[in-house]
Amino acid sequence: MKLATAKTIKMIDQAAVSKHGMRSVQLMENAGAGVAAVIVKELGGRIEGRRVAVIAGKGNNAGDGYVCARHLANMGARVTVFSLAASDELKGDCLLNERIWRRMRGEVRSIAARSGLRDERNQNFLKHASIVVDAIFGTGLSSPVSGVYADAINRINELGRKVVSIDIPSGVDATTGAMLGTAVKATVTATMAMPKLGTYIYPGREYAGRLETIDIGCPSSLLTDEAIKENLVTGQWVAGILRTIQRPLDSHKGSFGHVLIVGGSYGKTGAPYMAAMGAMRTGAGLATIALPKSLEPAMSAKTTEVMTLGLPETKDAALGAEAIDAVIKAAKHKAAIVIGPGLGLSAGSTSLVLSVIERAGAPVVIDADGLNAMAASIAALKKAKAPLVLTPHPGEAGQLLGKDIAAIQSDRVSATRTLAERTGAIVLLKGASSVIASPDSDIYIVPTGNPALATAGTGDVLSGVIAGLLSQGLSPIEAASCGAYLHGLAADEYKSLHGDTGMIATDLLHSIPSVIASLKGLADL
Protein backbone atom coordinates (compact mmCIF):
# COMPACT_ATOMS: atom_id res chain seq x y z
CA MET A 1 0.00 0.00 0.00
CA LYS A 2 1.30 3.43 -0.97
CA LEU A 3 1.95 6.11 1.65
CA ALA A 4 1.92 9.85 0.98
CA THR A 5 4.47 12.44 2.00
CA ALA A 6 3.40 16.07 2.33
CA LYS A 7 4.79 16.71 -1.15
CA THR A 8 3.02 13.69 -2.62
CA ILE A 9 -0.42 14.61 -1.30
CA LYS A 10 -0.03 18.17 -2.57
CA MET A 11 0.82 16.86 -6.04
CA ILE A 12 -2.18 14.49 -5.96
CA ASP A 13 -4.55 17.31 -5.03
CA GLN A 14 -3.16 19.50 -7.80
CA ALA A 15 -3.33 16.70 -10.38
CA ALA A 16 -6.92 15.85 -9.44
CA VAL A 17 -7.90 19.44 -10.26
CA SER A 18 -5.60 20.32 -13.16
CA LYS A 19 -5.41 16.99 -15.01
CA HIS A 20 -8.71 15.33 -14.13
CA GLY A 21 -10.98 18.35 -13.98
CA MET A 22 -12.10 17.89 -10.40
CA ARG A 23 -13.05 20.94 -8.34
CA SER A 24 -11.16 21.59 -5.13
CA VAL A 25 -14.38 22.55 -3.37
CA GLN A 26 -15.83 19.12 -4.21
CA LEU A 27 -12.75 17.41 -2.75
CA MET A 28 -13.27 19.45 0.42
CA GLU A 29 -16.95 18.51 0.51
CA ASN A 30 -16.10 14.82 0.18
CA ALA A 31 -13.45 15.13 2.89
CA GLY A 32 -15.71 16.85 5.40
CA ALA A 33 -18.56 14.43 4.76
CA GLY A 34 -16.15 11.52 5.22
CA VAL A 35 -14.95 12.88 8.57
CA ALA A 36 -18.57 13.23 9.70
CA ALA A 37 -19.16 9.58 8.82
CA VAL A 38 -16.10 8.56 10.86
CA ILE A 39 -17.44 10.53 13.84
CA VAL A 40 -20.86 8.88 13.58
CA LYS A 41 -19.12 5.50 13.55
CA GLU A 42 -16.98 6.45 16.56
CA LEU A 43 -20.11 7.43 18.50
CA GLY A 44 -21.80 4.15 17.71
CA GLY A 45 -24.27 5.69 15.26
CA ARG A 46 -25.89 7.88 17.94
CA ILE A 47 -25.30 11.47 16.88
CA GLU A 48 -28.54 13.36 17.53
CA GLY A 49 -28.17 15.75 20.46
CA ARG A 50 -24.47 14.94 20.98
CA ARG A 51 -22.08 17.85 21.51
CA VAL A 52 -19.29 18.20 18.96
CA ALA A 53 -16.53 20.81 19.20
CA VAL A 54 -14.66 21.66 16.00
CA ILE A 55 -11.35 23.47 16.61
CA ALA A 56 -10.56 25.18 13.30
CA GLY A 57 -7.47 26.90 11.92
CA LYS A 58 -7.42 28.91 8.71
CA GLY A 59 -6.46 26.59 5.85
CA ASN A 60 -8.03 23.73 3.92
CA ASN A 61 -7.97 21.58 7.05
CA ALA A 62 -10.28 24.12 8.69
CA GLY A 63 -12.45 24.08 5.58
CA ASP A 64 -12.87 20.32 5.98
CA GLY A 65 -13.88 21.05 9.58
CA TYR A 66 -16.63 23.47 8.53
CA VAL A 67 -18.01 20.91 6.06
CA CYS A 68 -17.92 18.25 8.78
CA ALA A 69 -19.74 20.60 11.17
CA ARG A 70 -22.50 21.17 8.62
CA HIS A 71 -23.08 17.46 8.01
CA LEU A 72 -23.13 16.65 11.71
CA ALA A 73 -25.53 19.52 12.44
CA ASN A 74 -27.83 18.27 9.69
CA MET A 75 -27.88 14.93 11.50
CA GLY A 76 -28.96 16.56 14.73
CA ALA A 77 -25.66 17.07 16.55
CA ARG A 78 -25.03 20.21 18.63
CA VAL A 79 -21.94 21.55 16.89
CA THR A 80 -19.84 24.57 17.80
CA VAL A 81 -16.84 25.70 15.79
CA PHE A 82 -14.04 27.33 17.78
CA SER A 83 -12.12 29.42 15.27
CA LEU A 84 -8.46 30.17 15.95
CA ALA A 85 -8.38 32.57 13.00
CA ALA A 86 -10.20 35.79 12.18
CA SER A 87 -12.66 35.67 9.28
CA ASP A 88 -10.44 37.96 7.19
CA GLU A 89 -7.65 35.33 7.39
CA LEU A 90 -9.76 32.70 5.61
CA LYS A 91 -9.49 32.24 1.87
CA GLY A 92 -10.82 30.16 -1.00
CA ASP A 93 -12.78 27.01 -0.26
CA CYS A 94 -12.27 27.39 3.48
CA LEU A 95 -13.86 30.85 3.45
CA LEU A 96 -16.73 29.58 1.29
CA ASN A 97 -17.57 26.78 3.73
CA GLU A 98 -17.20 29.05 6.75
CA ARG A 99 -19.79 31.39 5.18
CA ILE A 100 -22.14 28.50 4.43
CA TRP A 101 -21.85 27.40 8.07
CA ARG A 102 -22.67 30.89 9.34
CA ARG A 103 -25.60 31.28 6.91
CA MET A 104 -27.16 28.11 8.26
CA ARG A 105 -26.85 29.70 11.72
CA GLY A 106 -23.96 27.51 12.76
CA GLU A 107 -22.22 28.76 15.88
CA VAL A 108 -18.65 30.09 15.57
CA ARG A 109 -16.75 31.19 18.66
CA SER A 110 -13.69 33.26 17.83
CA ILE A 111 -10.64 32.46 19.93
CA ALA A 112 -8.61 35.63 19.66
CA ALA A 113 -6.47 35.30 22.78
CA ARG A 114 -4.47 32.52 24.45
CA SER A 115 -7.10 32.22 27.16
CA GLY A 116 -9.91 31.80 24.64
CA LEU A 117 -10.42 28.04 24.96
CA ARG A 118 -9.98 28.27 28.70
CA ASP A 119 -12.71 30.77 29.58
CA GLU A 120 -15.56 29.32 31.60
CA ARG A 121 -18.17 29.26 28.82
CA ASN A 122 -15.90 27.51 26.33
CA GLN A 123 -14.56 25.09 28.91
CA ASN A 124 -18.08 24.03 29.81
CA PHE A 125 -18.87 23.09 26.23
CA LEU A 126 -15.54 21.34 25.64
CA LYS A 127 -15.71 19.32 28.87
CA HIS A 128 -19.07 17.92 27.85
CA ALA A 129 -18.32 17.35 24.17
CA SER A 130 -18.71 13.80 22.92
CA ILE A 131 -16.09 14.45 20.25
CA VAL A 132 -13.49 17.14 19.66
CA VAL A 133 -12.60 17.60 16.01
CA ASP A 134 -9.04 18.73 15.31
CA ALA A 135 -9.21 20.89 12.16
CA ILE A 136 -6.24 23.12 12.95
CA PHE A 137 -3.36 22.12 10.68
CA GLY A 138 -3.12 19.71 7.77
CA THR A 139 -0.22 18.12 5.90
CA GLY A 140 1.32 21.44 4.89
CA LEU A 141 2.64 22.27 8.36
CA SER A 142 6.44 22.43 8.39
CA SER A 143 7.41 24.78 11.26
CA PRO A 144 6.91 24.54 15.04
CA VAL A 145 3.46 25.38 16.37
CA SER A 146 3.27 28.45 18.59
CA GLY A 147 0.93 31.02 20.12
CA VAL A 148 -2.82 30.47 20.20
CA TYR A 149 -2.43 27.34 18.05
CA ALA A 150 -0.03 25.65 20.48
CA ASP A 151 -2.25 26.59 23.39
CA ALA A 152 -5.31 25.14 21.65
CA ILE A 153 -3.49 21.87 20.94
CA ASN A 154 -2.38 21.57 24.54
CA ARG A 155 -5.91 22.30 25.73
CA ILE A 156 -7.33 19.57 23.46
CA ASN A 157 -4.88 17.08 24.96
CA GLU A 158 -5.82 18.13 28.51
CA LEU A 159 -9.54 17.57 27.99
CA GLY A 160 -9.42 13.79 28.00
CA ARG A 161 -12.19 13.62 25.38
CA LYS A 162 -12.29 11.56 22.20
CA VAL A 163 -10.47 13.44 19.45
CA VAL A 164 -10.84 13.00 15.69
CA SER A 165 -8.03 14.65 13.76
CA ILE A 166 -8.67 15.62 10.16
CA ASP A 167 -6.03 14.20 7.77
CA ILE A 168 -3.19 14.23 10.34
CA PRO A 169 -2.93 15.20 14.02
CA SER A 170 -2.17 18.92 14.11
CA GLY A 171 1.50 19.42 14.92
CA VAL A 172 2.73 16.15 13.39
CA ASP A 173 4.99 16.38 10.34
CA ALA A 174 3.22 14.45 7.59
CA THR A 175 6.48 13.20 6.11
CA THR A 176 8.79 12.49 9.05
CA GLY A 177 6.29 11.85 11.86
CA ALA A 178 8.16 14.39 14.00
CA MET A 179 6.28 16.51 16.53
CA LEU A 180 6.55 20.17 15.54
CA GLY A 181 6.65 21.69 19.01
CA THR A 182 3.42 20.15 20.23
CA ALA A 183 0.82 17.90 18.63
CA VAL A 184 -2.73 16.69 19.09
CA LYS A 185 -3.04 13.19 20.58
CA ALA A 186 -5.86 11.80 18.45
CA THR A 187 -8.20 8.93 19.17
CA VAL A 188 -8.85 8.58 15.44
CA THR A 189 -7.19 10.20 12.46
CA ALA A 190 -9.50 10.50 9.45
CA THR A 191 -6.95 10.79 6.67
CA MET A 192 -7.78 11.90 3.13
CA ALA A 193 -7.28 9.78 0.00
CA MET A 194 -4.37 7.72 1.33
CA PRO A 195 -2.45 7.27 4.59
CA LYS A 196 0.35 9.69 5.34
CA LEU A 197 3.89 8.47 5.89
CA GLY A 198 4.22 10.46 9.13
CA THR A 199 1.38 8.55 10.77
CA TYR A 200 3.35 5.29 10.50
CA ILE A 201 6.61 6.62 11.97
CA TYR A 202 7.08 7.45 15.64
CA PRO A 203 6.17 9.69 17.32
CA GLY A 204 3.52 10.45 14.67
CA ARG A 205 2.24 6.87 14.79
CA GLU A 206 1.58 7.20 18.52
CA TYR A 207 -0.26 10.52 18.10
CA ALA A 208 -2.43 9.36 15.19
CA GLY A 209 -4.46 6.76 17.08
CA ARG A 210 -6.64 4.59 14.85
CA LEU A 211 -6.39 5.45 11.16
CA GLU A 212 -9.44 5.73 8.92
CA THR A 213 -8.80 6.46 5.25
CA ILE A 214 -11.47 8.51 3.48
CA ASP A 215 -12.12 8.19 -0.25
CA ILE A 216 -12.50 11.79 -1.42
CA GLY A 217 -12.90 10.88 -5.07
CA CYS A 218 -9.33 11.22 -6.34
CA PRO A 219 -8.68 8.97 -9.36
CA SER A 220 -7.11 5.72 -8.17
CA SER A 221 -4.33 6.06 -10.75
CA LEU A 222 -2.99 9.03 -8.75
CA LEU A 223 -2.95 7.05 -5.51
CA THR A 224 -1.19 3.98 -6.92
CA ASP A 225 1.32 5.77 -9.16
CA GLU A 226 4.65 3.91 -9.23
CA ALA A 227 6.38 7.27 -8.90
CA ILE A 228 5.26 7.23 -5.25
CA LYS A 229 8.24 5.58 -3.57
CA GLU A 230 6.86 5.17 -0.04
CA ASN A 231 5.06 1.92 0.81
CA LEU A 232 3.49 0.21 3.80
CA VAL A 233 4.30 -3.47 4.23
CA THR A 234 0.96 -5.23 4.74
CA GLY A 235 0.09 -8.77 5.72
CA GLN A 236 -1.62 -9.36 2.37
CA TRP A 237 1.50 -8.24 0.49
CA VAL A 238 3.79 -10.44 2.61
CA ALA A 239 1.40 -13.36 2.18
CA GLY A 240 1.58 -12.99 -1.59
CA ILE A 241 5.39 -12.99 -1.51
CA LEU A 242 5.57 -16.02 0.77
CA ARG A 243 3.25 -17.87 -1.55
CA THR A 244 5.93 -17.74 -4.26
CA ILE A 245 8.12 -20.01 -2.13
CA GLN A 246 7.15 -23.47 -3.29
CA ARG A 247 7.67 -26.49 -1.03
CA PRO A 248 6.89 -29.55 -3.21
CA LEU A 249 6.23 -32.91 -1.62
CA ASP A 250 9.50 -34.28 -3.03
CA SER A 251 11.59 -31.48 -1.49
CA HIS A 252 14.81 -32.18 0.41
CA LYS A 253 17.05 -30.04 2.62
CA GLY A 254 19.00 -28.82 -0.37
CA SER A 255 15.83 -27.43 -1.93
CA PHE A 256 15.67 -24.45 0.41
CA GLY A 257 19.23 -23.25 0.50
CA HIS A 258 22.23 -23.35 2.80
CA VAL A 259 22.93 -20.28 4.97
CA LEU A 260 26.41 -19.46 6.26
CA ILE A 261 26.69 -17.35 9.42
CA VAL A 262 30.11 -15.81 10.08
CA GLY A 263 30.66 -14.41 13.56
CA GLY A 264 31.17 -15.20 17.21
CA SER A 265 33.86 -14.26 19.70
CA TYR A 266 34.44 -14.71 23.43
CA GLY A 267 31.22 -13.89 25.27
CA LYS A 268 29.25 -13.51 22.02
CA THR A 269 28.64 -17.02 20.73
CA GLY A 270 24.90 -16.72 21.26
CA ALA A 271 24.57 -14.13 18.49
CA PRO A 272 25.52 -16.36 15.51
CA TYR A 273 23.51 -19.21 17.04
CA MET A 274 20.33 -17.10 17.10
CA ALA A 275 20.96 -15.94 13.54
CA ALA A 276 21.37 -19.55 12.40
CA MET A 277 18.19 -20.65 14.14
CA GLY A 278 16.34 -17.66 12.70
CA ALA A 279 17.27 -18.87 9.23
CA MET A 280 16.21 -22.44 10.00
CA ARG A 281 12.90 -21.42 11.57
CA THR A 282 12.12 -19.34 8.48
CA GLY A 283 12.55 -22.33 6.22
CA ALA A 284 16.20 -22.57 5.19
CA GLY A 285 17.24 -26.18 4.56
CA LEU A 286 20.72 -25.95 6.08
CA ALA A 287 22.74 -23.56 8.21
CA THR A 288 26.40 -23.49 9.18
CA ILE A 289 27.99 -21.28 11.85
CA ALA A 290 31.59 -20.36 11.00
CA LEU A 291 33.40 -19.08 14.10
CA PRO A 292 36.86 -19.00 15.74
CA LYS A 293 38.21 -22.56 15.95
CA SER A 294 38.79 -22.42 19.71
CA LEU A 295 35.09 -21.66 20.22
CA GLU A 296 33.84 -24.31 17.79
CA PRO A 297 33.72 -27.24 20.27
CA ALA A 298 31.41 -25.32 22.61
CA MET A 299 29.19 -24.26 19.72
CA SER A 300 29.12 -27.79 18.34
CA ALA A 301 27.92 -29.01 21.72
CA LYS A 302 25.29 -26.28 21.87
CA THR A 303 23.73 -26.84 18.46
CA THR A 304 21.69 -29.76 17.25
CA GLU A 305 20.26 -28.87 13.85
CA VAL A 306 22.96 -26.36 12.85
CA MET A 307 26.43 -27.30 11.57
CA THR A 308 29.63 -25.62 12.76
CA LEU A 309 32.95 -24.74 11.17
CA GLY A 310 36.08 -23.70 13.05
CA LEU A 311 38.07 -20.91 11.41
CA PRO A 312 41.65 -19.64 11.77
CA GLU A 313 41.62 -17.02 14.49
CA THR A 314 43.59 -14.16 16.00
CA LYS A 315 45.54 -14.55 19.23
CA ASP A 316 42.45 -13.19 21.01
CA ALA A 317 40.24 -15.91 19.53
CA ALA A 318 38.50 -13.52 17.13
CA LEU A 319 38.03 -13.52 13.37
CA GLY A 320 40.21 -11.31 11.21
CA ALA A 321 42.31 -11.44 8.06
CA GLU A 322 43.56 -14.94 8.98
CA ALA A 323 40.08 -16.34 8.30
CA ILE A 324 39.50 -14.77 4.88
CA ASP A 325 40.44 -17.72 2.67
CA ALA A 326 38.56 -20.22 4.83
CA VAL A 327 35.43 -18.05 4.84
CA ILE A 328 35.51 -17.57 1.07
CA LYS A 329 35.89 -21.32 0.63
CA ALA A 330 32.99 -21.97 3.01
CA ALA A 331 30.86 -19.42 1.15
CA LYS A 332 30.96 -21.40 -2.09
CA HIS A 333 27.60 -22.87 -3.02
CA LYS A 334 25.85 -21.12 -0.13
CA ALA A 335 22.49 -19.48 -0.87
CA ALA A 336 22.95 -16.62 1.61
CA ILE A 337 25.56 -15.34 4.05
CA VAL A 338 25.25 -13.46 7.34
CA ILE A 339 28.35 -11.72 8.68
CA GLY A 340 28.61 -9.75 11.89
CA PRO A 341 26.65 -11.34 14.76
CA GLY A 342 29.04 -11.55 17.72
CA LEU A 343 32.00 -10.95 15.37
CA GLY A 344 33.86 -8.51 17.61
CA LEU A 345 36.22 -5.87 16.27
CA SER A 346 39.69 -7.32 15.76
CA ALA A 347 42.39 -5.52 13.79
CA GLY A 348 41.48 -7.50 10.68
CA SER A 349 37.68 -7.55 10.94
CA THR A 350 37.28 -4.82 8.32
CA SER A 351 39.44 -6.80 5.87
CA LEU A 352 37.38 -9.90 6.53
CA VAL A 353 34.04 -8.20 5.94
CA LEU A 354 35.30 -6.40 2.84
CA SER A 355 36.72 -9.62 1.38
CA VAL A 356 33.41 -11.40 1.88
CA ILE A 357 31.39 -8.72 0.11
CA GLU A 358 33.93 -8.44 -2.72
CA ARG A 359 34.32 -12.17 -3.34
CA ALA A 360 31.20 -14.02 -2.15
CA GLY A 361 28.72 -14.88 -4.87
CA ALA A 362 25.65 -15.15 -2.62
CA PRO A 363 23.60 -12.32 -1.08
CA VAL A 364 25.17 -11.05 2.14
CA VAL A 365 23.38 -9.76 5.24
CA ILE A 366 25.68 -7.49 7.28
CA ASP A 367 24.69 -6.92 10.89
CA ALA A 368 26.11 -5.78 14.24
CA ASP A 369 29.93 -5.82 14.31
CA GLY A 370 29.97 -6.43 10.57
CA LEU A 371 28.52 -2.94 10.21
CA ASN A 372 30.82 -1.48 12.85
CA ALA A 373 33.81 -2.87 10.97
CA MET A 374 32.81 -0.91 7.85
CA ALA A 375 31.97 2.37 9.61
CA ALA A 376 35.10 4.13 8.34
CA SER A 377 34.79 2.95 4.74
CA ILE A 378 31.15 2.56 3.75
CA ALA A 379 31.87 3.54 0.13
CA ALA A 380 33.70 0.20 -0.18
CA LEU A 381 30.36 -1.56 0.21
CA LYS A 382 29.60 -0.61 -3.39
CA LYS A 383 32.31 -3.09 -4.42
CA ALA A 384 30.03 -5.98 -3.47
CA LYS A 385 29.94 -8.85 -5.95
CA ALA A 386 26.48 -9.91 -4.79
CA PRO A 387 23.51 -8.04 -3.30
CA LEU A 388 23.86 -6.68 0.24
CA VAL A 389 21.34 -6.19 3.04
CA LEU A 390 22.43 -3.95 5.92
CA THR A 391 20.48 -4.14 9.19
CA PRO A 392 21.65 -1.29 11.45
CA HIS A 393 20.00 -0.02 14.60
CA PRO A 394 19.99 3.80 14.93
CA GLY A 395 23.38 3.86 16.67
CA GLU A 396 25.03 1.81 13.92
CA ALA A 397 23.33 3.88 11.22
CA GLY A 398 24.68 6.99 12.93
CA GLN A 399 28.21 5.59 12.84
CA LEU A 400 27.92 4.78 9.15
CA LEU A 401 26.60 8.24 8.28
CA GLY A 402 28.66 10.24 10.76
CA LYS A 403 25.59 11.44 12.67
CA ASP A 404 24.32 11.10 16.22
CA ILE A 405 21.33 8.96 17.12
CA ALA A 406 19.05 11.98 17.56
CA ALA A 407 19.71 13.06 13.97
CA ILE A 408 18.92 9.58 12.67
CA GLN A 409 15.72 9.31 14.69
CA SER A 410 14.50 12.80 13.72
CA ASP A 411 14.08 11.65 10.10
CA ARG A 412 14.39 7.89 9.90
CA VAL A 413 13.25 7.68 6.29
CA SER A 414 15.81 10.17 4.98
CA ALA A 415 18.60 8.53 6.98
CA THR A 416 17.75 5.07 5.62
CA ARG A 417 17.41 6.35 2.07
CA THR A 418 20.75 8.16 2.28
CA LEU A 419 22.53 5.09 3.60
CA ALA A 420 21.09 2.95 0.79
CA GLU A 421 22.24 5.48 -1.81
CA ARG A 422 25.76 5.67 -0.38
CA THR A 423 26.26 1.90 -0.09
CA GLY A 424 24.24 0.53 -2.99
CA ALA A 425 22.66 -1.89 -0.51
CA ILE A 426 19.21 -2.64 0.78
CA VAL A 427 19.13 -0.98 4.22
CA LEU A 428 16.83 -1.96 7.08
CA LEU A 429 16.87 0.61 9.89
CA LYS A 430 15.64 -1.27 12.94
CA GLY A 431 13.41 0.24 15.60
CA ALA A 432 9.76 1.07 16.12
CA SER A 433 8.30 1.12 12.60
CA SER A 434 11.39 -0.29 10.90
CA VAL A 435 12.29 1.41 7.63
CA ILE A 436 13.67 -0.37 4.56
CA ALA A 437 15.22 1.52 1.65
CA SER A 438 16.61 0.45 -1.69
CA PRO A 439 19.32 2.32 -3.63
CA ASP A 440 16.68 3.55 -6.10
CA SER A 441 14.84 5.30 -3.20
CA ASP A 442 11.98 2.86 -2.66
CA ILE A 443 10.86 2.94 0.98
CA TYR A 444 8.98 0.27 2.94
CA ILE A 445 7.57 0.87 6.42
CA VAL A 446 6.98 -2.13 8.70
CA PRO A 447 4.01 -1.71 11.08
CA THR A 448 4.51 -4.88 13.13
CA GLY A 449 6.49 -5.21 16.36
CA ASN A 450 6.26 -3.94 19.92
CA PRO A 451 8.48 -3.16 22.95
CA ALA A 452 8.98 -6.87 23.64
CA LEU A 453 11.66 -6.70 20.93
CA ALA A 454 13.75 -4.33 23.05
CA THR A 455 15.95 -7.12 24.34
CA ALA A 456 19.36 -8.50 23.41
CA GLY A 457 19.59 -10.85 20.45
CA THR A 458 16.39 -10.02 18.59
CA GLY A 459 18.43 -8.31 15.88
CA ASP A 460 20.48 -11.48 15.41
CA VAL A 461 17.28 -13.46 14.90
CA LEU A 462 16.17 -10.88 12.31
CA SER A 463 19.38 -11.16 10.31
CA GLY A 464 18.88 -14.93 10.22
CA VAL A 465 15.24 -14.60 9.17
CA ILE A 466 16.24 -12.39 6.25
CA ALA A 467 18.98 -14.82 5.21
CA GLY A 468 16.53 -17.71 5.44
CA LEU A 469 14.19 -15.94 3.02
CA LEU A 470 17.09 -15.09 0.70
CA SER A 471 18.10 -18.76 0.68
CA GLN A 472 14.63 -19.65 -0.56
CA GLY A 473 14.82 -17.31 -3.52
CA LEU A 474 13.34 -14.01 -2.40
CA SER A 475 14.94 -10.82 -3.68
CA PRO A 476 16.87 -8.71 -1.14
CA ILE A 477 14.11 -6.08 -0.88
CA GLU A 478 11.47 -8.80 -0.47
CA ALA A 479 13.55 -10.69 2.09
CA ALA A 480 14.25 -7.58 4.15
CA SER A 481 10.64 -6.32 4.08
CA CYS A 482 8.99 -9.70 4.65
CA GLY A 483 11.62 -10.68 7.22
CA ALA A 484 11.08 -7.54 9.28
CA TYR A 485 7.30 -7.99 9.08
CA LEU A 486 7.49 -11.65 10.20
CA HIS A 487 9.93 -10.80 12.97
CA GLY A 488 7.61 -8.09 14.31
CA LEU A 489 4.55 -10.29 13.90
CA ALA A 490 6.19 -13.06 15.92
CA ALA A 491 6.77 -10.52 18.71
CA ASP A 492 3.14 -9.40 18.42
CA GLU A 493 2.01 -13.00 18.79
CA TYR A 494 4.15 -13.34 21.90
CA LYS A 495 2.74 -10.12 23.34
CA SER A 496 -0.83 -11.30 22.77
CA LEU A 497 -0.11 -14.34 24.94
CA HIS A 498 2.36 -13.04 27.52
CA GLY A 499 2.52 -9.24 27.35
CA ASP A 500 5.47 -7.16 26.19
CA THR A 501 7.74 -7.73 29.18
CA GLY A 502 10.16 -10.60 29.65
CA MET A 503 10.44 -11.97 26.14
CA ILE A 504 13.92 -13.23 25.22
CA ALA A 505 15.23 -13.49 21.69
CA THR A 506 14.89 -17.25 21.43
CA ASP A 507 11.17 -16.95 22.22
CA LEU A 508 10.78 -15.47 18.74
CA LEU A 509 12.10 -18.65 17.18
CA HIS A 510 9.10 -20.65 18.36
CA SER A 511 6.60 -18.12 16.96
CA ILE A 512 8.08 -17.64 13.48
CA PRO A 513 6.71 -20.86 11.89
CA SER A 514 3.20 -20.18 13.18
CA VAL A 515 3.10 -16.60 11.87
CA ILE A 516 4.37 -17.81 8.49
CA ALA A 517 1.58 -20.39 8.44
CA SER A 518 -1.02 -17.78 9.37
CA LEU A 519 0.12 -15.49 6.56
CA LYS A 520 0.15 -18.28 4.02
CA GLY A 521 -3.43 -18.96 5.08
CA LEU A 522 -4.19 -15.30 4.42
CA ALA A 523 -2.82 -15.70 0.90
CA ASP A 524 -5.29 -18.53 0.28
CA LEU A 525 -8.34 -16.34 1.05
Side-chain angles (χ1 to χ4, degrees):
M1 181 172 68
K2 297 292 183 182
L3 297 173
T5 63
K7 182 179 179 181
T8 298
I9 205 66
K10 183 177 180 180
M11 292 172 62
I12 288 172
D13 286 345
Q14 291 174 341
V17 174
S18 63
K19 294 183 179 181
H20 294 271
M22 300 190 72
R23 298 179 64 195
S24 59
V25 70
Q26 184 60 55
L27 294 175
M28 184 172 287
E29 180 67 24
N30 294 347
V35 175
V38 168
I39 290 170
V40 172
K41 175 183 175 182
E42 185 64 21
L43 294 178
R46 297 178 290 108
I47 193 67
E48 189 169 0
R50 308 292 285 272
R51 290 191 184 190
V52 178
V54 178
I55 317 297
K58 59 183 178 181
N60 287 340
N61 199 257
D64 296 343
Y66 282 108
V67 175
C68 172
R70 170 162 41 87
H71 282 276
L72 292 175
N74 287 340
M75 287 185 271
R78 297 171 59 191
V79 185
T80 294
V81 177
F82 296 83
S83 177
L84 304 178
S87 290
D88 60 7
E89 294 182 272
L90 307 185
K91 299 177 182 178
D93 298 335
C94 178
L95 176 59
L96 172 64
N97 279 293
E98 187 254 10
R99 286 177 174 174
I100 293 172
W101 173 246
R102 288 183 181 274
R103 287 170 183 165
M104 62 183 285
R105 299 181 183 275
E107 183 180 14
V108 179
R109 298 186 190 179
S110 181
I111 308 302
R114 289 177 63 88
S115 61
L117 279 181
R118 299 177 185 274
D119 73 28
E120 186 175 351
R121 178 169 173 259
N122 291 339
Q123 282 199 61
N124 184 62
F125 188 93
L126 292 168
K127 286 180 178 179
H128 294 89
S130 298
I131 287 278
V132 176
V133 181
D134 161 28
I136 304 173
F137 295 116
T139 57
L141 183 68
S142 58
S143 57
V145 180
S146 60
V148 66
Y149 296 99
D151 188 68
I153 289 172
N154 292 334
R155 179 59 184 144
I156 290 171
N157 291 339
E158 291 167 4
L159 287 170
R161 313 306 294 170
K162 287 187 175 183
V163 178
V164 174
S165 285
I166 296 180
D167 212 13
I168 193 163
S170 292
V172 170
D173 187 299
T175 300
T176 68
M179 187 170 66
L180 298 171
T182 187
V184 170
K185 190 77 174 287
T187 309
V188 182
T189 295
T191 195
M192 306 308 152
M194 61 191 299
K196 310 306 181 289
L197 178 60
T199 59
Y200 280 94
I201 302 172
Y202 286 90
R205 180 173 168 183
E206 182 179 358
Y207 279 77
R210 190 180 81 250
L211 289 172
E212 296 274 359
T213 302
I214 296 172
D215 180 2
I216 60 173
C218 290
S220 61
S221 60
L222 297 178
L223 310 181
T224 58
D225 191 339
E226 288 303 311
I228 301 173
K229 293 290 190 176
E230 293 75 25
N231 305 274
L232 180 69
V233 180
T234 65
Q236 195 69 53
W237 183 80
V238 173
I241 298 296
L242 293 178
R243 198 170 186 176
T244 66
I245 300 174
Q246 300 296 314
R247 300 184 76 86
L249 293 177
D250 61 348
S251 299
H252 53 84
K253 62 187 177 184
S255 302
F256 307 114
H258 190 163
V259 176
L260 176 68
I261 296 91
V262 182
S265 56
Y266 273 129
K268 296 182 179 180
T269 55
Y273 172 78
M274 287 185 286
M277 291 305 297
M280 295 291 285
R281 286 292 188 179
T282 309
L286 298 155
T288 294
I289 298 173
L291 74 168
K293 62 181 181 181
S294 63
L295 303 178
E296 191 275 336
M299 181 64 77
S300 182
K302 177 182 179 66
T303 64
T304 302
E305 300 88 355
V306 176
M307 294 176 284
T308 59
L309 174 65
L311 298 173
E313 61 188 33
T314 70
K315 62 181 182 179
D316 298 320
L319 297 180
E322 300 87 348
I324 289 174
D325 290 342
V327 170
I328 297 304
K329 181 179 179 180
K332 288 182 179 180
H333 310 301
K334 298 299 187 291
I337 300 164
V338 179
I339 187 164
L343 182 66
L345 291 174
S346 69
S349 58
T350 298
S351 296
L352 174 60
V353 176
L354 187 57
S355 294
V356 168
I357 67 174
E358 287 182 344
R359 296 168 61 183
V364 180
V365 180
I366 308 179
D367 187 30
D369 285 334
L371 296 168
N372 295 327
M374 299 304 297
S377 53
I378 67 169
L381 293 170
K382 284 195 172 182
K383 298 178 181 179
K385 179 180 178 180
L388 299 180
V389 179
L390 313 184
T391 60
H393 57 54
E396 292 160 345
Q399 280 191 307
L400 293 169
L401 292 174
K403 297 182 178 182
D404 61 27
I405 293 176
I408 299 296
Q409 293 293 75
S410 68
D411 192 345
R412 287 169 55 81
V413 171
S414 290
T416 312
R417 186 172 262 152
T418 298
L419 190 51
E421 291 170 352
R422 291 186 185 179
T423 61
I426 301 299
V427 177
L428 192 168
L429 178 60
K430 294 181 286 195
S433 294
S434 291
V435 181
I436 298 111
S438 69
D440 60 3
S441 293
D442 284 327
I443 292 291
Y444 294 83
I445 306 296
V446 180
T448 57
N450 63 77
L453 288 169
T455 187
T458 57
D460 302 309
V461 173
L462 175 59
S463 64
V465 169
I466 294 169
L469 294 173
L470 287 168
S471 76
Q472 295 172 82
L474 297 194
S475 71
I477 193 69
E478 291 172 339
S481 301
C482 294
Y485 188 94
L486 290 171
H487 183 257
L489 194 60
D492 291 343
E493 181 180 89
Y494 181 93
K495 179 183 176 181
S496 70
L497 296 173
H498 308 291
D500 61 9
T501 301
M503 187 184 82
I504 58 175
T506 49
D507 290 330
L508 287 173
L509 299 173
H510 303 291
S511 296
I512 289 169
S514 64
V515 298
I516 290 175
S518 68
L519 285 170
K520 285 186 174 180
L522 180 63
D524 292 332
L525 295 179

